[in-house]
Amino acid sequence: MKFIRQTLALVLLTLSSLNAGDFLMPDEAFSPYAKVDEKAQIQTGVMLGKDIYIYAEKMSVAMKGTSLKIKEIQKPSSVDHEGEQVYTSSPNIVVTLENPEGLTGVQNFTLVLSYQGCSEMGLCYNPYVKEFPLTLDVSKLSSQTTPLVQTVELSESDAIADTIKSGNIGIVLLTFLGFGLLLAMTPCVFPMIPIISGVIVSQGEGLTTKKAFALSVVYVLAMAVAYTIAGVLAGLFGANLQAALQMPWVIYSFSLVFVALAFSMFGFYELKLPDALVTKVSSGSNRGGYIGVSIMGFLSALIVGPCVAAPLAGALVYIGQTGDAVLGGMALFSMSIGMGLPLIAVGVSAGKFMPKPGAWMTMVSAIFGVMMLAVAIWMLEKILDPSIIMVMYSILGIGFSLYLGVFEKDHHFFKHSVAMIIFIYSVSLFIGFLAGSSSMTKPLGFLNQPSVVQTTGVSAQKELSFSVVNSIEELDALLAKNKGKKILLDFAADWCTSCKELEEITFADSAVKQKMSEFVLIRADVTKNTDKEKALSKKYGVFGPPALIFFDEETKIQKAKTIIGFIEPADFLAHLNTL
């Protein structure tokens, strides 16, 4: 009977269109759907029209485009209909997944739903196959696929994400405020100090402590808003927005802004908004300065940018997992305020340093002008060759030392000593540049190179060699090739300040080198932020470099061992010894 129905299906369906609409059209009879629920299970099925039923054996699900596997399929009970098992009411199927290959981050895949049904009025429809593109955060699978109560070791960022989920809102915000204060003590925030100081001092005469405080607060609030917006978007869409703002033309443009600020500090001109615009915006009050400071704070946050650290990554993981942009955004805003509190103190102090007009004020302005030029060069480090950066710092330092009167004998002892130190260091940089060195901390290190290579301890002195990948395919090939070995995957970028610190401080430590020689070293270079690089970062849940991910001998990720941000050599060595 089923064969006869299927044979006549097309004929009856054609006649139905001429028969006053007695039969439902296919899209009226069947409304398939699929979605991922809060438990990381797939809810799929077909909403049925009036007098429509589906054959149970013809309804199936499959997946493609991912190495995730179907662990269990829960179907509703079927009923007998003329000797066939069918669903007479809209069937819902629950699909439980598993992650046998240890994938991380957000995974995109396609669910394939197949079905065939008939109408009680005697018409059978053709078989249908519907595909649904879905997205799943793999980290959610562990909680619902492990029924046993056990202690699961989390990475630092995941632990922070769990703190947001389970903590009281007030405690969460205070915790992230504390995280922000700690981050303010890291090199990531240091470039903000000359920026806010220079912006405050550039206000010129009439700057009171009260106004310096107000300007500093405006700067920090604008910075916090920028961090919050960028962070929420990054968490929701898994995008590395910081990378998108590291394009060469953006860096060049912003560096020119600091050069312009520096020259205004040197007295070549006065930077301010047009009087007509200030009048229109502020209705006669002096708010033009606040607008400029807020713009500088917003742009500084995005382009100078904080390094990706565990608290920031934890907030982004939380937003990505739960979609709760409100609480995640509040945590990011609180962290940003914590980072900004010391900057407010710096801004107020800069205002107090403003003396009455005179020679001393000229000196203060010149110092902050040099600081602005140093920030401009620091930003160019992300896109220019290290040797060029070295000679730029050298020229800046030599020029500043000459301005301070390094060769004049009638100056104050302290001032003359500072000028001499700057001059000696700057000349060392220039000599290092001529000798081919690129180290800012050891510009004359080439003079201390050993002439005889020792046969013992050679492995500790070798330079670390990373295999560079830019896509999932390249990484998968290397992982397969090195199965049976311990693997370290380093997400890095040329514009990432903390990545350079890892390279020059942590990875350069001899004991760390010795231990790292036990690992296969792979570097995921995400400098250009291409689609392939974005996909690679997204697969491993990396919101921005640096991130260090470890694989065991079976090429499974040791998620709890993941490191986000800079880590000191001693701490990193201790971490490696646990693997």
Side-chain angles (χ1 to χ4, degrees), residues 442-568:
K442 298 179 181 179
L444 302 181
F446 64 92
L447 297 175
N448 195 35
Q449 291 180 348
S451 56
V452 179
V453 179
Q454 300 292 330
T455 58
T456 59
V458 172
S459 60
Q461 300 303 321
K462 285 183 178 178
E463 290 299 320
L464 297 175
S465 177
F466 286 83
S467 299
V468 179
V469 298
N470 301 98
S471 67
I472 295 174
E473 294 77 15
E474 292 175 349
L475 177 58
D476 288 345
L478 278 178
L479 292 177
K481 179 181 178 181
N482 292 285
K483 189 172 183 180
K485 304 175 183 177
K486 294 188 294 185
I487 299 172
L488 187 160
L489 174 62
D490 172 28
F491 276 83
D494 291 348
W495 42 261
C496 168
T497 303
S498 289
C499 300
K500 294 178 181 178
E501 292 172 354
L502 274 175
E503 188 76 25
E504 297 175 1
I505 300 174
T506 305
F507 294 167
D509 182 85
S510 58
V512 170
K513 279 185 181 181
Q514 179 70 40
K515 190 64 180 178
M516 287 180 70
S517 65
E518 301 175 8
F519 292 79
V520 174
L521 304 178
I522 303 175
R523 175 160 292 153
D525 187 348
V526 294
T527 299
K528 297 180 181 179
N529 202 34
T530 63
D531 290 339
K532 288 186 177 182
E533 291 171 4
K534 290 178 184 177
L536 180 59
S537 297
K538 189 173 184 180
K539 178 177 179 179
Y540 290 94
V542 174
F543 291 95
L548 301 175
I549 298 175
F550 299 88
F551 297 82
D552 62 17
E553 288 83 350
E554 298 299 321
T555 67
K556 291 183 179 179
I557 293 178
Q558 297 178 278
K559 188 171 178 59
K561 302 299 182 181
T562 297
I563 296 175
I564 304 295
F566 174 76
I567 183 171
E568 294 288 347

Side-chain angles (χ1 to χ4, degrees), residues 69-115:
K69 303 296 182 183
I70 294 177
K71 181 179 181 181
E72 182 183 7
I73 298 177
Q74 298 177 0
K75 292 184 177 181
S77 300
S78 58
V79 298
D80 183 84
H81 183 273
E82 298 182 2
E84 300 281 355
Q85 291 296 311
V86 302
Y87 300 118
T88 55
S89 59
S90 302
N92 182 74
I93 296 176
V94 180
V95 181
T96 303
L97 303 179
E98 61 181 354
N99 183 16
E101 297 190 10
L103 301 178
T104 61
V106 178
Q107 297 292 315
N108 298 315
F109 60 92
T110 300
L111 181 81
V112 182
L113 176 65
S114 304
Y115 58 91

